[in-house]
Amino acid sequence: MREKKESRFTQKALVIAEKVGSEVHLKSVRDAFLLTIPFLVLSGFMVFIAWVLLAEGSFVAAHLPANVVAAVTTICSKTINGGQNILALFMVIMTSYNLAKYKHYPQPLIPAVVSLGALFILMPSVYASWHLRHVRKHDYGSSGYRSLPGPAQGGQAAD
């Protein structure tokens, strides 16, 4: 009796899994991830080196000079950051490319380029967000232009 219930559940689960697996949007994301696996592997390897092998107090870090550990950790951090940024760009390009391919567009590269352009247009600028967090309102006068500090405000006097 129990085997029949498990068999029915398994059959229903397989039907649902088949429908989900054949959905084009999910297939596009799946294929994009398959193409970006090298960046995931490289980033994971660098995380292992920087934060496991060279972690503070680890056996490897204790037997290497501090400047070597710092240099290798810096290289690993930059590789992780760059790899993840490139992964994000490739995911946008490849997901839209695969979706256009599954939808039988004649030129699937065009939607990929449009998606990349939309990413750059909608991506918040790092400088703009920093600027909004750190610039105080009183730095701007009634004219809307930023006023430079004078001698009374700690600036240097003009010659």
Side-chain angles (χ1 to χ4, degrees), residues 50-110:
W51 294 333
V52 174
L53 291 180
L54 299 178
E56 189 174 327
S58 70
F59 177 78
V60 176
H63 288 83
L64 291 174
N67 61 344
V68 172
V69 171
V72 172
T73 304
T74 301
I75 291 170
C76 289
S77 295
K78 290 183 179 186
T79 305
I80 293 165
N81 191 19
Q84 294 301 309
N85 291 337
I86 291 171
L87 176 107
L89 292 175
F90 277 175
M91 281 301 295
V92 167
I93 293 168
M94 294 312 300
T95 301
S96 58
Y97 179 85
N98 288 330
L99 184 60
K101 189 172 69 173
Y102 287 133
K103 294 283 186 171
H104 305 292
Y105 276 57
Q107 293 292 329
L109 189 60
I110 293 173

Side-chain angles (χ1 to χ4, degrees), residues 79-146:
T79 305
I80 293 165
N81 191 19
Q84 294 301 309
N85 291 337
I86 291 171
L87 176 107
L89 292 175
F90 277 175
M91 281 301 295
V92 167
I93 293 168
M94 294 312 300
T95 301
S96 58
Y97 179 85
N98 288 330
L99 184 60
K101 189 172 69 173
Y102 287 133
K103 294 283 186 171
H104 305 292
Y105 276 57
Q107 293 292 329
L109 189 60
I110 293 173
V113 172
V114 170
S115 296
L116 185 63
L119 174 73
F120 285 130
I121 290 169
L122 297 174
M123 185 185 307
S125 172
V126 174
Y127 175 73
S129 62
W130 177 88
H131 187 69
L132 291 174
R133 283 193 314 266
H134 292 87
V135 175
R136 298 177 305 270
K137 288 185 178 180
H138 64 80
D139 289 344
Y140 291 92
S142 60
S143 64
Y145 293 105
R146 186 171 180 154

Side-chain angles (χ1 to χ4, degrees), residues 5-18:
K5 285 183 182 179
E6 287 179 6
S7 176
R8 273 193 250 146
F9 174 75
T10 305
Q11 288 175 352
K12 289 180 181 180
L14 284 175
V15 169
I16 292 171
E18 190 176 308

